[in-house]
Amino acid sequence: MLSGCLVLLLSVTFTTVAEASNVAGQSHKEQAELAKKNALAQPKLVGPTTKKKIYDTLLPYFTKNYIEAFITENFWETEKGLIKK
């Protein structure tokens, strides 16, 4: 299961970086910084959380479709909120 999460994380990260490379005028340094911030943001999503918190944390780095896929693959919905699988 951990390897599945890692594959999803890496594929989303690389896709996000690829999307970022399409932004006119964005340097390689800016793209690398975006990927770094993305990698640092995800571990903050621990314990019971909400979709809003996940979106607020990840939206600067991912599209809404990828965030939904990330939530589906990595979280269970409980009475206390979303928890990591």
Side-chain angles (χ1 to χ4, degrees), residues 13 17 30-40 61:
T13 300
V17 172
E30 290 170 327
Q31 293 173 27
E33 188 62 29
L34 179 67
K36 180 180 176 183
K37 288 179 182 178
N38 161 32
L40 294 173
Y61 315 108

Side-chain angles (χ1 to χ4, degrees), residues 51 54-55 66-76 82:
K51 275 192 173 186
I54 294 171
Y55 269 91
Y66 286 112
I67 294 172
E68 279 300 319
F70 178 79
I71 291 170
T72 301
E73 282 294 318
N74 294 290
F75 291 88
W76 283 311
L82 298 170

